[in-house]
Amino acid sequence: MVLINTIKPDVVNSGTPKAGLIGTLASRILGIRKVIYTLHGLRLQTTTGAKRRLLYLMERIACSSADVIVCVSKSLMTEAINLDLAPERKFIVINNGTANGVNTTLFRNPADDPSTLKSTLGIPAETKVIGFAGRITRDKGIEDLYRAFRLLTGDYILLIIGSIESNDPIDPVILQEIRSRQDIIMPGFVDNIADYYHIMDVLVLPSYREGFGMVALEAAAAGVPAIVSDSTGVRDAVIHQHTGLVFKTGDFVQLSRSMEEILSNAAKRKRLGEQAQRRVETEFIPQEIWIQLNRIYHK
């Protein structure tokens, strides 16, 4: 609040639950001319009871304090309107969504030979890889992913990339089972995520909520199709049967069938990956989002 009062900007744009609440409320109190709240997701969607009521109140105050609410996906905007967080006229989505588009040059080509990385991880060259990238938490759908993987009958590797978090942890029994299996690899957090996309045959994002399913777009930039849940912010990342597959959130049986559908059909997998790559290269250009955001500031 002191910093905003010192700088006295004409426009303030803040986001995330805590920073968004403090930034928008402080700006309104200090009389900033225009206040923008960037809604990156709704944490409250996977909570209940007092915690959900508190998070709802925080979002309601942030939205009420803002002149414009920029949602990073169309489904997120729909959910926010349905929750009555603010009048519909306040909400906008820039182009096709995302906070900043996708710099496809970072993901189009691997830094190293994918076969070398597969060998380093102990994955046989011809073995198909199912990939996940993100926080290893319950709301990311890790438990559903594991249950779906157990139903597969083929010879596959499940590659789970990301850090295990204590906030919203997965069932410790399931975590122990995951760690004990030879066909599941967990390298933890990695810096060179683009290289890992290039050893995946399909990326799976079974999350229960997102702002926008960005890892699906990153994989798409590498030519990899995705299977995603139909939850808020996730379904925006894939066009069903065109750039990947969409399954009902929480339905691990349907997820398993979707994985079999893509993994057993090389021609379809290639077609979906190519179409996903074209989509991300044409519909999520960072510079176009910057131009639109600049117009919002000037307006």
Side-chain angles (χ1 to χ4, degrees):
M1 193 166 180
V2 174
L3 181 62
I4 294 174
N5 195 39
T6 301
I7 298 173
K8 293 183 172 58
D10 293 298
V11 178
V12 168
N13 184 348
S14 60
T16 73
K18 292 179 183 178
L21 173 65
I22 295 170
T24 56
L25 189 57
S27 299
R28 188 56 67 204
I29 292 171
L30 294 171
I32 300 302
R33 290 174 60 189
K34 289 297 175 182
V35 181
I36 299 170
Y37 177 39
T38 299
L39 188 59
H40 291 279
L42 289 168
R43 177 70 180 88
L44 63 90
Q45 284 191 288
T46 52
T47 59
T48 58
K51 186 173 183 179
R52 181 182 176 91
R53 291 192 293 272
L54 175 61
L55 289 170
Y56 179 85
L57 179 61
M58 291 171 62
E59 293 290 358
R60 187 71 186 269
I61 293 172
C63 289
S64 299
S65 301
D67 297 295
V68 177
I69 304 163
V70 178
C71 300
V72 298
S73 69
K74 294 175 182 177
S75 64
L76 178 62
M77 180 174 71
T78 299
E79 183 66 19
I81 292 171
N82 290 340
L83 287 169
D84 195 28
L85 293 178
E88 187 172 347
R89 58 178 171 77
K90 283 190 176 185
F91 293 94
I92 64 168
V93 176
I94 297 177
N95 295 353
N96 295 296
T98 74
N100 197 40
V102 180
N103 183 352
T104 57
T105 59
L106 297 176
F107 306 101
R108 188 180 295 114
N109 299 305
D112 297 311
D113 185 349
S115 62
T116 301
L117 179 56
K118 288 187 79 170
S119 177
T120 300
L121 293 171
I123 303 174
E126 301 304 316
T127 300
K128 294 183 178 66
V129 178
I130 302 160
F132 169 89
R135 295 178 296 108
I136 300 177
T137 59
R138 183 182 177 280
D139 66 3
K140 286 288 186 179
I142 296 294
E143 294 177 7
D144 295 331
L145 176 59
Y146 175 62
R147 293 186 179 104
F149 182 70
R150 287 195 307 182
L151 295 177
L152 296 177
T153 57
D155 181 22
Y156 306 119
I157 289 291
L158 176 58
L159 178 64
I160 301 177
I161 302 169
S163 302
I164 298 173
E165 297 192 3
S166 57
N167 184 29
D168 189 32
I170 65 174
D171 186 323
V173 174
I174 290 180
L175 179 59
Q176 181 57 39
E177 289 182 15
I178 289 173
R179 284 173 161 165
S180 66
R181 291 186 61 133
Q182 297 299 310
D183 54 0
I184 300 179
I185 297 173
M186 299 177 70
F189 177 84
V190 300
D191 292 317
N192 55 330
I193 185 65
D195 287 354
Y196 285 81
Y197 287 137
H198 282 274
I199 67 170
M200 297 177 188
D201 292 277
V202 63
L203 177 120
V204 179
L205 180 59
S207 181
Y208 281 67
R209 62 162 185 94
E210 295 286 338
F212 197 110
M214 289 300 297
V215 292
L217 293 189
E218 292 175 357
V224 178
I227 302 171
V228 304
S229 62
D230 65 355
S231 59
T232 302
V234 186
R235 60 182 179 268
D236 304 73
V238 165
I239 300 174
H240 185 58
Q241 294 291 358
H242 182 71
T243 65
L245 301 179
V246 181
F247 72 97
K248 183 176 176 56
T249 305
D251 189 340
F252 65 88
V253 175
Q254 186 185 8
L255 170 57
S256 185
R257 290 171 180 163
S258 297
M259 290 193 287
E260 287 279 16
E261 181 180 339
I262 286 186
L263 292 169
S264 63
N265 190 329
K268 181 170 187 174
R269 191 166 63 248
K270 183 174 184 294
R271 173 173 56 82
L272 293 177
E274 290 173 349
Q275 290 170 170
Q277 190 173 53
R278 284 196 295 271
R279 182 188 182 219
V280 74
E281 289 176 344
T282 57
E283 296 186 16
F284 298 96
I285 301 171
Q287 290 83 350
E288 293 185 358
I289 292 181
W290 304 340
I291 290 169
Q292 293 301 321
L293 189 57
N294 189 46
R295 287 174 179 169
I296 292 170
Y297 291 156
H298 282 278
K299 182 178 178 181

